[in-house]
Amino acid sequence: MRSDDLRAENRHRLLSTLRADGPSSRTHLGEASGLSQAALSNLLGDMIEQGILTSSNNSKAGEVRRGRPQSTISLNPMAGQGIALSLVNDRCVIRATDYSGELIYTNELHLDTKAADQQSLLTTFTDQINLGLHENKALPLRAISVGFQGVTDPLQGQFLWSPVISMRKLPVAKTLEQNFNVPVAVNNDCLLIAKALHQIQSSVLTDNFSTILLSCGLGMGMYLSGEPFTGIKSSGLELGHIRYRPGGARCRCGKSGCIEAYASDYGLRRSACNTKDLHSPLGLVSRDQLSSLCRQARGGDKKALQAFSEAGQALGYGLSNVFSLFDPMPVALVGPDEQIFELMHDDIIESMSSSSREQLDFDQLIHTYENADNLLQQGLHFDAMENIDKQLAHLNSQMAV
Amino acid sequence: MRSDDLRAENRHRLLSTLRADGPSSRTHLGEASGLSQAALSNLLGDMIEQGILTSSNNSKAGEVRRGRPQSTISLNPMAGQGIALSLVNDRCVIRATDYSGELIYTNELHLDTKAADQQSLLTTFTDQINLGLHENKALPLRAISVGFQGVTDPLQGQFLWSPVISMRKLPVAKTLEQNFNVPVAVNNDCLLIAKALHQIQSSVLTDNFSTILLSCGLGMGMYLSGEPFTGIKSSGLELGHIRYRPGGARCRCGKSGCIEAYASDYGLRRSACNTKDLHSPLGLVSRDQLSSLCRQARGGDKKALQAFSEAGQALGYGLSNVFSLFDPMPVALVGPDEQIFELMHDDIIESMSSSSREQLDFDQLIHTYENADNLLQQGLHFDAMENIDKQLAHLNSQMAV
DNA sequence: CATTATTTTTTCATGGCGTGAAAAAATAGC
DNA sequence: GCTATTTTTTCACGCCATGAAAAAATAATG
């Protein structure tokens, strides 16, 4: 490690603090980083000159204080932009934020993902990103963060398998990096949701927690020791394919009796429709279909209620396995707009408490969130911004903005 | 981060390299650390002066080379000593190594752990350590590393639960730190074995792997992303108490049908002795009893063979759950001297392959080790030495040796 | 309206750190 | 004894963070 690495690391720390805490005074930055005022003056002055930060004389209306007023340091929006690309079901969403994290572009299109081949998908992505860049030519693109349902390979930047796409090994990062000449991160949607929750709910979901995403299938993400767990070979973890009822309902993965075969969009729908035939084909479930299923259950429909109950039990079983393997930890249940977990809450708790050694306070551990799409977007933006922070921290020579 | 932190980190990196690779030339240290020859000269010179390292003119017999001969840098044995204390079953082992990692003291005594109260245990530990220190007065004690069977709390340095001890919350670290005024680490035996394997078998068991320890109960340790996973609340992980056969054999934890109730010393013995009564009391199983069980199975005893088969299936079930949750990863099965896993190997594989999605090469993934005691000791020594490395790296002022 | 008190920010001299180039040291070959 | 070769140390340099002092910017005071 060399002297300039030291400087880069201190710069990075300052940027991260500003990203997490918002515009801050030098005093706050000093406390958070442990650096001296002199060092701050030096580092911040450099970064302001480089166009990474801005300094403003904030005069808070209410407060009148003696002495030289504090200046507020902020991330300079003009330092660049990051693009978030997500593909969930048939929706491809492209959004961009400036360096301060403000949304500056958003677009969305529907794709026939099942029919698309590798080349057409990659071309679509490229075109859509170009469309967004055209709207904000002044801001240099510095990072792209991509989120998919399914199994991704973050190291290779590949996309390995998804319920909505027919091909395998889609080299997203390689293609986009070539086309745009910026780093491209490819991650699983659950991990990105975990990143968003970690940032937002940092008081509750701190060092160790899991996220369970019920959308198209059943996904899982995890933070361990304060770090997002990016998996061993593929991204994140899989709760859905733990064996739950051997010989039971058929799962999309080919096996029978997986947790996902009960606790997922298609599992729920199948249970509710025809309780006899659990080996029926596993088509995609639209958001509307899931909504109407929730309405049926709330309306008292017996079969629907039974489906949610079974899903809750399966999910509780899976979580109790996780709690056995690890210690009990906070869990975020993330679903679509419908308050879907409300319908299984009691069954989840019951299934978990029947198989846990100690008495647990589940209200403290289980948190539900109903805005999966939003969280995914936030996670993507945060991931892209983090990447830009890292780049700019290591930029010790002058930069052109 | 300040300039002296930088120096400390570079010092630490050099010490770690020397610890892992043994006595090395400056050339090797330069390549491993990326530091310049000038920096090396400076850093190493300091540490030699401080008595942390030694430099020797090695003249390798075979090789005759032109030019100034390389000097070899080694860890100075006289820089201090670390103590390893372990309590497994009724055996309390105290060993000490000098700073180069050479064993300089070993002692062992049998304790009636079930009968001992908190105070007497702590006093025994203190006395035993003092005994060891008396033998090597010249070397200052710099770290103590403690390993226990059971559940530990590494952060608090507490010992929470063990099959062989009747009390809870034994504040080992606090007491020993007060008595000896050095840092004391308290860890689970499985994690320490994982540390030893990581160091020794670093080619196979690298960034992500699990260790399963079959001794008194069924323990588990894990490396994730190259770091030992020290658990969320307690140490490490628990494979043993995943529900395997609801309503099945009684487990020591109070529940029924845990994996451990089948795949452990007491599970094996119970299955082999009286297949009818799986709710029988769960006494401790001596090493001799386990040995004779292995002999019976090798001799063809049907009940014994059946017991090992069931244990293998249970273990395979647990591992397939882990492989589902994470991706497949290397697993080290660690047992006592007997080649115990040989007797369950086929059942483990069968149980795993029947429930894994992909075809796995289990010979590549599953490794067995038969020297649990040895590995634990190595892990303890390594842990203590690592701790000393960290201390000495941060010691920038002169030290008295 | 000028002066003083107070608070924030920058400047400056200093010591520490790693680097590259040059010098010194240590050995084999001739 | 001289030269070639390789390793190690020394030295001047630029960079980094620090503490103390100076400068800047405002409120209170008279």
Side-chain angles (χ1 to χ4, degrees), chain B residues 1-2 26 37-38 41 65-71:
Chain B
M1 206 176 185
R2 301 180 323 184
R26 281 174 149 84
Q37 281 298 324
S41 189
R65 289 202 305 167
R66 220 160 155 170
R68 181 172 174 170
Q70 293 188 126
S71 60

Side-chain angles (χ1 to χ4, degrees), chain A residues 1-3 26 37-38 41 65-71:
Chain A
M1 206 178 187
R2 303 180 322 183
S3 295
R26 281 175 148 84
Q37 281 298 323
S41 188
R65 288 201 306 168
R66 218 161 155 171
R68 179 172 176 171
Q70 294 186 129
S71 60

